[in-house]
Amino acid sequence: MSDDAAVLVIVDGANVVGSVPDGWWRDRHGAAVRLRDALVPYATDGLPGLHGPVELVLVAEGAARGVASVAGVRVDSAPGSGDDLIAELAAAAAPERECVVVTADRGLRQRVEAYGARCVGPRTVRPLPPA
């Protein structure tokens, strides 16, 4: 399956990183790098209920901008609002391509669902660490 046919999975980096209180606020760039690296297996394996391979895009904003892409995960740095870039990516995919957005942000969910994207929560790609 080529990337053109693969499901586009867009990850709201700030929202997913912020979903686990692990000190990410002390090093936002480092937290984005760790998230990017944790996403790599999902590119080939897919998400729960969504078979791989998928095209994975991590959207970084603010202090997390400038994180490099790696094999399996493209990182797009938002020049302004990460939500705006995510909405643009979802709109560009619609309606020809299935798009899944990983976020818990209600306002963003409404925006991308208007383009036909499906949304899943941060725990889909970042489960809570063991207690």
Side-chain angles (χ1 to χ4, degrees):
M1 179 182 290
S2 71
D3 280 346
D4 290 336
V7 174
L8 174 62
V9 176
I10 306 167
V11 178
D12 180 353
N15 188 268
V16 173
V17 163
S19 70
V20 177
D22 61 0
W24 58 264
W25 52 89
R26 290 188 292 268
D27 179 11
R28 292 170 193 256
H29 188 271
V33 168
R34 289 188 298 278
L35 175 59
R36 177 206 60 200
D37 294 348
L39 292 173
V40 170
Y42 294 108
T44 53
D45 298 344
L47 303 176
L50 178 65
H51 296 288
V54 300
E55 180 184 356
L56 245 161
V57 179
L58 171 62
V59 173
E61 64 181 306
R65 283 188 198 115
V67 170
S69 296
V70 295
V73 181
R74 183 179 93 215
V75 181
D76 286 357
S77 291
S81 162
D83 289 3
D84 288 347
L85 179 55
I86 292 165
E88 288 173 25
L89 293 169
E96 296 83 21
R97 187 170 182 199
E98 185 178 355
C99 179
V100 175
V101 175
V102 182
T103 187
D105 182 311
R106 288 186 188 135
L108 179 58
R109 282 177 173 248
Q110 289 177 334
R111 288 175 71 184
V112 299
E113 286 172 349
Y115 298 116
R118 182 167 55 98
C119 295
V120 296
R123 299 284 178 264
T124 305
V125 297
R126 190 163 190 229
L128 285 172

